[in-house]
Amino acid sequence: MKKDEPPLDFPDTLEGFEYAFNEKGQLRHIKTGEPFVFNYREDLHRWNQKRYEALGEIITKYVYDLLEKDCNLKKIFIPVDATESEPKSFIFMSEDALTNPQKLMVLIHGSGVVRAGQWARKLIINEDLDSGTQIPFIKRAMDEGYGVIVLNPNENCIEVEKPKTHVQSSSDSSDEPVEKRERKDKVSKETKKRRDFYEKYRNPQREKEMMQLYIRENGSPEEHTVYVWDHFIAKSAAENVFFVAHSYGGLAFVELMIQREADVKSKVTAVALTDSVHNVWHQEAGKTIREWMRENCCNWVSSSEPLDTSVESMLPDCPRVSAATLQHAERRIPLGEEPPSIDPFFEGFNLLWFPPAFGGSPMPSDSCMLYFVQSLSLLPVGGLTDCQSKNPQCSIYF
């Protein structure tokens, strides 16, 4: 660790970083027009990482603002009965999320630094807003008449500065012989010296020691998902609820099923999982849950196989098929310089909404969920009618 590390004093606005999003939603330097540069200072990886994290926090707030101003979503604080002083989190909902009688879409991102409205921070910074955020899908969902709820499963605590504690010297509180006390004091001082020496290099700028205060009933992604279900989704008027869950979001959904099985089965029509990390054995999902997942869920996973090729799994849950890319983060975004239309995504969901023409019977996967996930992946999108003509009845039903 370098002793001459510059101060970890970063701007708190995009303008301060001299960056802005252009008309294409790309992050560019205001003066040079160049993309974001991580290695701003050579041989100072820790400082560069801290700078990147500071920019990431600004972008998180920027996306929050877009959800409210550009998508017209409402920020709803939780717990719903929180006192003025206790830690709080929040989610975002459309105006009709609880009153739409027909359909509701629920979005759950993965683990890590991402927050509500984001799929991947690095894609927002290095690609564009459409690639890294949920905004294109939120807007189209609302245009298609869906209510929308955007979960915030990684906002589990707030950080506050850790209070300093006074450690009482052993010589002040012991009846031990003087020599023994002196030996212990000497060892203590040497230990402190070594610790301070290490800390000087681990934390050269003496960053504040922080502590976490967890948010009641929302202290983990799993808790958060169950809480939002109990207080919002379960109380919504929608007859058909659709979930999109990426990575750890899939695990959170399975945990929701385990805890609220009957309720979920009565309201949820279909679930699209993208590279979900759930495990029905480790999570101890029962037989009836596994059977329901086989009929109502599909998991598009990292694979070099052609799109929608069946992928073997040791787990007896939902079908797993290839998303035709090996990049985990790419499960969520469209491919190429000209992203394909997300029309098939909503055509698939509209078909899944069991129209009367099909007598309320399950719809085949190739005419619905495949196109749903294609719009979340780095994949070219095929035509819906073309697929239906080739395979009007699939072996996998939802």
Side-chain angles (χ1 to χ4, degrees):
M1 183 64 64
K2 290 184 175 293
K3 297 181 181 180
D4 59 347
E5 183 182 62
L8 301 176
D9 185 17
F10 302 108
D12 57 5
T13 63
L14 281 177
E15 293 76 11
F17 271 95
E18 297 188 327
Y19 281 96
F21 286 101
N22 61 21
E23 65 280 359
K24 295 181 180 179
Q26 302 166 324
L27 188 67
R28 294 292 183 265
H29 195 276
I30 294 173
K31 296 178 180 178
T32 67
E34 294 297 314
F36 176 76
V37 176
F38 179 85
N39 289 316
Y40 189 76
R41 291 179 181 265
E42 294 294 332
D43 302 323
L44 287 174
H45 180 80
R46 179 179 180 273
W47 188 89
N48 288 328
Q49 179 64 31
K50 292 291 185 180
R51 173 176 173 266
Y52 176 83
E53 292 171 4
L55 176 63
E57 291 302 310
I58 295 171
I59 286 176
T60 291
K61 295 177 182 177
Y62 184 87
V63 173
Y64 286 160
D65 286 342
L66 289 179
L67 293 181
E68 291 190 276
K69 298 175 182 177
D70 204 27
C71 299
N72 296 316
L73 300 185
K74 298 185 298 180
K75 179 189 284 188
I76 308 297
F77 287 93
I78 52 177
V80 293
D81 59 347
T83 63
E84 188 70 26
S85 59
E86 75 171 295
K88 303 176 188 66
S89 180
F90 49 86
I91 59 173
F92 291 89
M93 299 196 313
S94 61
E95 288 284 348
D96 67 337
L98 301 183
T99 59
N100 189 314
Q102 297 180 341
K103 47 192 179 179
L104 172 67
M105 184 183 297
V106 181
L107 303 177
I108 314 179
H109 57 62
S111 60
V113 296
V114 291
R115 295 294 187 270
Q118 301 181 45
W119 290 127
R121 175 186 286 181
K122 71 177 182 179
L123 294 177
I124 298 173
I125 293 176
N126 298 321
E127 299 294 334
D128 54 49
L129 288 167
D130 282 354
S131 297
T133 73
Q134 301 168 348
I135 290 173
F137 305 103
I138 293 170
K139 286 185 174 180
R140 183 58 188 274
M142 295 174 72
D143 288 344
E144 290 285 337
Y146 289 81
V148 176
I149 295 182
V150 179
L151 270 62
N152 203 7
N154 293 334
E155 190 74 12
N156 308 128
C157 62
I158 62 171
E159 288 193 339
V160 297
E161 188 173 357
K162 192 174 183 178
K164 296 179 179 179
T165 56
H166 174 71
V167 180
Q168 192 173 17
S169 173
S170 59
S171 59
D172 297 336
S173 59
S174 174
D175 293 330
E176 296 174 328
V178 174
E179 291 183 0
K180 189 173 181 179
R181 289 204 306 271
E182 289 177 348
R183 276 198 309 273
K184 290 178 69 174
D185 287 345
K186 183 179 180 180
V187 171
S188 178
K189 289 177 181 178
E190 290 176 351
T191 301
K192 184 178 184 302
K193 185 177 180 181
R194 287 195 299 270
R195 185 171 61 246
D196 290 346
F197 179 80
Y198 167 75
E199 184 67 13
K200 176 181 178 181
Y201 288 90
R202 186 191 73 83
N203 187 9
Q205 301 193 46
R206 297 284 185 178
E207 294 180 75
K208 295 178 181 179
E209 291 289 335
M210 308 297 287
M211 62 182 293
Q212 296 177 332
L213 299 179
Y214 283 89
I215 297 165
R216 175 165 54 88
E217 299 183 80
N218 287 268
S220 69
E222 297 91 326
E223 276 193 2
H224 174 81
T225 303
V226 172
Y227 185 89
V228 175
W229 175 272
D230 288 344
H231 292 82
F232 300 97
I233 303 172
K235 296 179 179 179
S236 68
E239 293 184 9
N240 300 277
V241 177
F242 303 94
F243 272 81
V244 188
H246 174 71
S247 190
Y248 201 88
L251 185 149
F253 175 80
V254 172
E255 184 62 28
L256 170 65
M257 276 221 70
I258 292 170
Q259 296 194 35
R260 303 288 187 271
E261 181 178 354
D263 292 341
V264 170
K265 288 180 177 179
S266 69
K267 286 191 74 73
V268 177
T269 299
V271 181
L273 304 172
T274 57
D275 240 7
S276 173
V277 298
H278 72 276
N279 187 304
V280 291
W281 290 140
H282 293 166
Q283 293 180 259
E284 300 183 350
K287 180 181 178 181
T288 54
I289 290 177
R290 299 195 301 271
E291 291 174 346
W292 186 90
M293 290 182 66
R294 278 196 292 272
E295 296 179 354
N296 296 272
C297 306
C298 190
N299 189 11
W300 271 256
V301 298
S302 299
S303 172
S304 60
E305 294 295 319
L307 174 64
D308 204 35
T309 301
S310 179
V311 176
E312 287 189 25
S313 172
M314 297 294 290
L315 299 176
D317 54 10
C318 59
R320 296 176 184 233
V321 295
S322 171
T325 175
L326 295 174
Q327 299 300 315
H328 177 70
E330 294 174 355
R331 295 289 72 66
R332 303 164 294 218
I333 59 174
L335 171 68
E337 296 179 1
E338 294 296 330
S341 170
I342 62 175
D343 289 357
F345 167 91
F346 290 95
E347 290 173 0
F349 256 9
N350 288 337
L351 283 172
L352 264 175
W353 182 44
F354 299 167
F358 292 88
S361 60
M363 292 298 298
S365 64
D366 278 7
S367 63
C368 46
M369 298 300 287
L370 165 61
Y371 297 93
F372 169 87
V373 178
Q374 281 180 323
S375 64
L376 298 179
S377 307
L378 282 177
L379 306 168
V381 178
L384 179 65
T385 55
D386 181 59
C387 175
Q388 287 176 311
S389 64
K390 292 178 181 178
N391 192 5
Q393 292 295 328
C394 312
S395 60
I396 302 170
Y397 289 87
F398 292 84

